[in-house]
Amino acid sequence: MNPSTPAAKPRFPLLRLPGYLQASDVQGLAQLATQATLGVAGLAENVHGNVYKAVASLFGPPGASFIDKAPSRSGVKPLGITGLVYGGIKGVTRLAGGTVNAVLSGVVPLLGKKASSRQREAMLAALNGVLGDHLLETANPLAISMRLRHEGQPLVLEKSVLAERLPGASVKVLVLVHGLCMNDLQWHGQGAAAQDHGQRLARELGYTPVYLHYNSGLHISDNGRQLAGLLEQLLKAWPQPVEELALLTHSMGGLLARSAFHQATQANHAWPVQLKKLVFLGTPHHGAPLERVGHWVDAQLGRRVVTRPFAKIGQIRSAGITDLRHGNVLQADWQSVGRFDSAADARQALPLPAGVACYAVAATTVSHGAVPLRSVRHTLSHQFVGDGLVPLRSALGRHEDPSRCLAFAPQNQWIAQGMNHLELLSRPEVTRQLVEWLGTAASP
């Protein structure tokens, strides 16, 4: 071969994984790939079985003899040719997945950990938002554990350690709680005009901000219970005597805060007494339309035998997402009804925390003057558009049932015009409103 001749490109190039992934991430993704392959094989088998059932029903009892009628089975007989094919695929997949997992389990400790990145944190947060409950149940290393963090690093909740990590810790503590599929680093905006609400409130009002990082795919009530305990630990370990605790929450984070306050009160924790101010940014207090649409699609697919297996695809979404159908914050709101069952809103009416100054920011993507007719603009922004994910009525706690309405004082409500859901995290207009509210004396 002539040395000057360029080497031919391999016909089957190796899969190149993103450089920001850690070895444990690859192990977790390999586990998910195995489970996904088994899921696809199971879906194909169920569709195949349902077709068998539909055809067999045309031939009465003789046709039924070709169907596996055992409860919870697909309809494909396991000892038939079709059943053996599906069984073979599943067996090989489990064997390959187990082998890869065993190899990676031995490699991960040897490689150690490298510094994380914004890309990796965003990937993990999104994955946990969609599949977080499944990741936890299967002990997948991709599952996020709830932590309080500062500058992206976990805080050890011991007085001496906190004093060293936060040498300027003040008597005013601000905890920022992110929303679904998000992480604590996303409070730090990246655009030229972006604001970090926590840092601005620290500079102007003397708060010391810490940031919650959690698996947003778990039930909100489960995360609320964990948050309640974590805040109790935080205030006990704080280097200064705490005079004021404030919570700044975005989206699902607001539901988490309400759940945590209720559960902490039930458990006689001390921190609810120190909570003076609670801010909700785009929180779906009464649910989000996108999850209700997803539930409707599931129901339609489930109505027909042939399409019923496809409903399982939509049902991989996490418990955290399905809690957003109505805005569940307590275990009692969901424990008696299946997550994917069609049921009316059965939530317990839970008012805003007593004795706490509560503030609500809602946003609408519809700007003043964007729609010629005022009545049309009002209907669009309040009932349908909102910030693109959460309608204004839900973000402001308004409900047709008076017992479910959240009593935000008029001066404690603000509607951001021409702003979407994610922009609430870093727009300077929001920061200015926060400084104005949190800079005044608390008045529940």
Side-chain angles (χ1 to χ4, degrees), residues 253-265:
L255 300 179
L256 223 70
R258 290 175 56 208
S259 179
F261 185 91
H262 177 80
Q263 296 188 71
T265 302

Side-chain angles (χ1 to χ4, degrees), residues 104-240:
L104 289 174
S105 295
V107 171
V108 168
L110 300 176
L111 296 179
K113 286 189 175 183
K114 58 183 178 181
S116 191
S117 65
R118 289 183 70 100
Q119 285 178 303
R120 176 177 180 270
E121 296 287 343
M123 180 273 292
L124 289 177
L127 199 57
N128 275 258
V130 176
L131 298 171
D133 51 351
H134 174 77
L135 297 177
L136 183 64
E137 289 166 5
T138 56
N140 192 298
L142 296 171
I144 292 172
S145 298
M146 183 178 285
R147 300 275 186 86
L148 286 166
R149 306 209 298 185
H150 178 71
E151 296 179 345
Q153 298 300 315
L155 292 171
V156 177
L157 300 184
E158 297 176 6
K159 195 176 290 287
S160 59
V161 180
L162 281 180
E164 185 177 349
R165 280 287 308 276
L166 305 172
S170 72
V171 297
K172 298 170 66 177
V173 182
L174 175 68
V175 178
L176 294 89
V177 185
H178 65 75
L180 177 70
C181 293
M182 306 292 286
N183 67 77
D184 54 308
L185 297 180
Q186 288 164 311
W187 287 98
H188 307 274
Q190 292 186 291
Q195 298 276 325
D196 183 326
H197 300 323
Q199 295 302 321
R200 177 80 177 271
L201 292 168
R203 289 195 304 270
E204 299 205 15
L205 302 179
Y207 285 100
T208 299
V210 295
Y211 300 78
L212 185 71
H213 185 227
Y214 68 97
N215 178 345
S216 60
L218 305 185
H219 274 298
I220 289 168
S221 55
D222 292 340
N223 274 327
R225 182 179 65 255
Q226 291 186 60
L227 176 57
L230 205 56
L231 291 175
E232 188 78 350
Q233 295 177 51
L234 175 69
L235 296 200
K236 286 180 179 177
W238 198 251
Q240 302 284 349

Side-chain angles (χ1 to χ4, degrees), residues 41 89 114 188 291 319 321 359 375 382 386 399 425 443:
I89 292 172
K114 58 183 178 181
H188 307 274
E291 163 53 23
I321 292 177
Y359 306 88
S375 60
H382 282 64
H399 199 277
L425 285 166
S443 54

